[in-house]
Amino acid sequence: MSKMPESTASEKLVIGNWKMHGSLRSNEVLLRALANGMKAVPPRLKIGVCVPFPYLAQAQALLAGSAIEWGVQDLSSHDEGAYTGEVSAAMVADFGARYAIVGHSERREYHREGAILVAEKAERALEAGLTPIVCVGETAEEREFAFTERVLAAQLSAVLDRLSIEQAASVVLAYEPVWAIGSGSSASVEDVRHVHAFLRGQLLAKGAAVGRIPVLYGGSVKPDNAAALFAVPNVDGGLIGGASLAADQFLPICEACTETPV
Ligand code: PGA
């Protein structure tokens, strides 16, 4: 077997993806518990929560000055103008947000977002000073037909080809196998090892700076499997859905990431 590329990531991240969950009341409890439970984050580890748009101001109010950053789960591919219902990257940045998830499989599937649109959103995020968390992942069917690498390469290159090297070096990538999301069981350590090595190779092909961007794993990360997943070479943290909605699950996952060196 050829030697697999090893992680040289510049930082690690644990990011919560709340999806369409929450209320002013329940968020307040959760955000306070997170801010209190995570007093300090080691250098080169970032913790963040990506909340629904209406709760951005609340996240800013309750997390400003804490060790936890905040962001959103999508944004418009347009700058500004007559785009009813859209939210621009600049608006998001106005609320002190740091992250914008783009290309999540639920957006690709339920909103028919294609590779080019995802790339445009990543570009808008970067222009506004946000860090795009670009999600890639194969469906169960694509996996069954051994198309995983082909699908991931296409999703990734659509984004990288649109960005300058400097922009691409500021992206965070998240591998989220669609079949593992919300399923209760993550991809196996072996699968994750293989796919992340493949993704690292694709990134390194764009040069050393792009080769160093963090690559997160997402899909049923829980407190009891986080340490094993974060210890896999080329895994630089996680994108956490269901388990980010409860402080007693999200905080141990963050802890697990502090224990694996960058
Ligand atoms: P999950 O979701 O942790 O609930 O599987 C992850 C995601 O969709 O980002």
Side-chain angles (χ1 to χ4, degrees), residues 17 19 104 106 176 180-183 218-222 239-243:
N17 171 14
K19 309 195 179 186
H104 190 281
E106 287 151 16
E176 294 209 314
I181 293 173
S183 70
S220 296
V221 179
K222 306 287 174 204
L239 183 56
I240 319 298

Side-chain angles (χ1 to χ4, degrees), residues 15-19 21 101 104-106 135 174 176-178 180-186 217-222 238-245 253:
I15 303 292
N17 171 14
W18 287 9
K19 309 195 179 186
H21 294 288
I101 297 172
H104 190 281
S105 61
E106 287 151 16
C135 299
E176 294 209 314
V178 180
I181 293 173
S183 70
S185 54
S186 73
Y217 168 78
S220 296
V221 179
K222 306 287 174 204
L239 183 56
I240 319 298
S244 71
L245 297 170
I253 293 172

